[in-house]
Amino acid sequence: MGVDFGHSPNSQLLEGQVELDSSGYVLVEEGTSKTSVEGVFAAGDVQDHEWRQAITAAGSGCIAALSVERYLVSRDLLVEFHQPQTEEVKKEPTDRDVQAGFDITLTKHKGQYALRKLYHESPRLICVLYTAPTCGPCRTLKPILSKNNVYFHNLVKVMQAENTVRCLLTDTRRRMDDPSEIKQLVVEFYQNLLGSTVEINAETGG
């Protein structure tokens, strides 16, 4: 037996702004997330008086997000961000740089000294890869990410760090023996990092 508490849409702040039903739920066009106001979309339990489950709320959130994107595109209001390519400022290496083996022109780096130098001196995104030597998913993904980091060498700087504790990937419940699942993980990683659509080949890293 399940008992549900707090099934109130809490939509008081929307009263007089968008159309609500008698119980306070936001009314949307059937099969969409469109409200009575153009350009305003509703998602989650505030517009769902029937199912009110976390998984259905997440699905409606995805629908609303895609609807917003399409709305903005249709009105030429969507602005994509593309990181401008920047040249590294060429500096003579210091004695400490030479001692630590640090070269800012390289893509891959290791160590705290390199991380501090990149943070203060490099204009590029810094990607820190934490991997665990005992983690199966890490062993699968690390070479793939390494290949793709070469592909994106003009956009990112990569810090490699090993973690001796349990890797978070182990708890993702995603199958690391499935090439399509591996590719999806890699694509998600770079889309989150670069903020744009990227084409990734999970086999070759291209």
Side-chain angles (χ1 to χ4, degrees):
M1 181 180 71
V3 180
D4 294 321
F5 294 95
H7 272 182
S8 171
N10 291 327
S11 58
Q12 293 86 348
L13 67 102
L14 299 175
E15 292 179 359
Q17 308 297 320
V18 296
E19 190 175 353
L20 309 175
D21 67 10
S22 58
S23 299
Y25 289 91
V26 177
L27 291 174
V28 296
E29 291 184 19
E30 186 175 356
T32 76
S33 60
K34 296 178 181 178
T35 68
S36 58
V37 178
E38 182 182 2
V40 177
F41 304 86
D45 292 0
V46 74
Q47 52 84 48
D48 178 13
H49 58 78
E50 183 174 357
W51 306 110
R52 295 177 292 193
Q53 300 293 314
I55 190 168
T56 54
S60 70
C62 181
I63 293 172
L66 292 172
S67 299
V68 169
E69 181 182 29
R70 291 178 181 178
Y71 178 83
L72 294 175
V73 168
S74 68
R75 288 158 179 77
D76 294 325
L77 296 174
L78 186 66
V79 179
E80 292 188 2
F81 171 79
H82 298 276
Q83 184 187 8
Q85 294 189 13
T86 54
E87 294 292 333
E88 299 286 357
V89 178
K90 295 182 179 180
K91 296 181 179 179
E92 288 296 322
T94 65
D95 292 339
R96 179 68 189 280
D97 290 346
V98 175
Q99 181 182 1
F102 175 75
D103 183 353
I104 197 171
T105 63
L106 299 178
T107 299
K108 297 180 182 179
H109 300 269
K110 290 184 178 180
Q112 293 184 359
Y113 178 77
L115 180 59
R116 288 196 300 270
K117 290 284 287 188
L118 292 175
Y119 179 80
H120 290 289
E121 298 182 12
S122 176
R124 300 181 185 175
L125 293 170
I126 300 176
C127 165
V128 181
L129 298 180
Y130 283 99
T131 59
T134 58
C135 171
C138 284
R139 289 196 298 270
T140 302
L141 288 171
K142 189 174 181 180
I144 298 172
L145 292 174
S146 295
K147 291 178 181 178
N148 282 286
N149 288 331
V150 173
Y151 182 71
F152 291 110
H153 69 92
N154 61 332
L155 295 176
V156 299
K157 292 293 186 181
V158 180
M159 285 296 306
Q160 298 186 28
E162 286 204 343
N163 188 3
T164 57
V165 300
R166 181 179 176 88
C167 177
L168 292 177
L169 274 177
T170 307
D171 297 323
T172 62
R173 305 296 188 265
R174 300 177 80 158
R175 293 182 55 193
M176 291 297 103
D177 58 346
D178 183 349
S180 62
E181 192 73 10
I182 294 173
K183 178 177 180 179
Q184 184 60 32
L185 267 174
V186 176
V187 170
E188 289 174 8
F189 171 80
Y190 279 103
Q191 286 180 338
N192 291 334
L193 179 68
L194 300 176
S196 60
T197 301
V198 292
E199 293 293 334
I200 301 295
N201 187 315
E203 308 271 339
T204 64

